[in-house]
Amino acid sequence: MSRIAVTPMTTFAPHIDEAQAYLDKVIASLHALDRREKQPLIGILEYLSQYISSTRGEVAALRTTVADPVALSQASDELEEIVTETANATNTIMSVAEDIEALSRTVDDPLAGSLLVAATRIYEACAFQDVTGQRITKVVRAVQHIDQKIGLLAGLCGTGSASSAATIKEVARSGDQALLNGPQLAATAQTQDDIDRLFGN
Amino acid sequence: MAVDKKMPIMIVDDYNTMLRIMKNLLRQLDFENIEEASDGSAALQKLKSGHFGLVISDWNMQPVTGLDLLRSVRADAQLKHLPFIMVTAESKTENVITAKQAGVSNYIVKPFTADTLKTKMESVLGPF
């Protein structure tokens, strides 16, 4: 009976490039066998080898173009800068609204009333900074998550740092943590009236 | 009974802008005695050392959330009856139900108007 002339792998969990090299050796050995029934197995193994090769190529391309870690990190920084700049601008607007409110106390009605209403509407509008800040923070976390996942995939495919892949742990949120989701999208978010109905107001 | 507008009110939010907005809106309603905290832990310390008449708190804060603060307040013999309004962008049904089960007095979803704030405060404290 013919035997495959390939040395058994010594590591239980080889790196993907080692596994692919081993697979190619197995395929070469199978080709050398004089057995007709080898053909379906060779076909499957060759398909697997090609699939691994193309996946590694795609991930490598993804890492250097779309998901470049430097670009993703910069994107996160830019988004965080937006939050900071928006907060600064909002504080300036708030200061002006406070000046308008103070001014309303130095004049008579109806101008005083109009100025107070205007200041109040500005205060209400400035709450956007809190909501948009929370939305941007969600996007920053999503970008960082994508960066980690691409890094993990690149590590597994032998096209990036394997060590970084080993440190990434999926943290499933449960209990109270699962309730921290920030603002919902306007199309699906519940309104104050919805909340009031739930609350029995 | 008339609402005492001199009573201390604790406002809790990790966004300084929100604290500033809330403080201005409360001042317009003639509530001037306002204390601020930027998370649940700091708020609880201040609540234990004062005689507050109302807490208005955000939910999504770290490390101690508004929900944690609410539960701590309700578990404290001295504070358990303190009116507590949650003001948050968390508007999912499960959030509202969880807050209600934890003993929240009322719930305002961000962004909100000055009228909504007044209405919810009146539903908790009585008309003013």
Side-chain angles (χ1 to χ4, degrees), chain A residues 95 124 130 176 182 190 192, chain B residues 18 20 71 90-91 110 114:
Chain A
S95 295
E124 290 171 353
D130 181 355
D176 288 352
Q190 297 203 89
Q192 183 66 51
Chain B
M18 267 325 293
R20 195 169 171 184
R71 286 175 176 151
E90 305 286 353
S91 63
K110 290 178 183 174

Side-chain angles (χ1 to χ4, degrees), chain A residues 199, chain B residues 70 74 84-86 96 98-107:
Chain A
F199 209 77
Chain B
L70 170 62
R74 292 292 175 253
F84 194 116
I85 297 177
M86 194 76 84
V96 182
T98 302
K100 199 174 173 185
Q101 287 172 341
V104 79
S105 308
N106 219 314
Y107 200 106

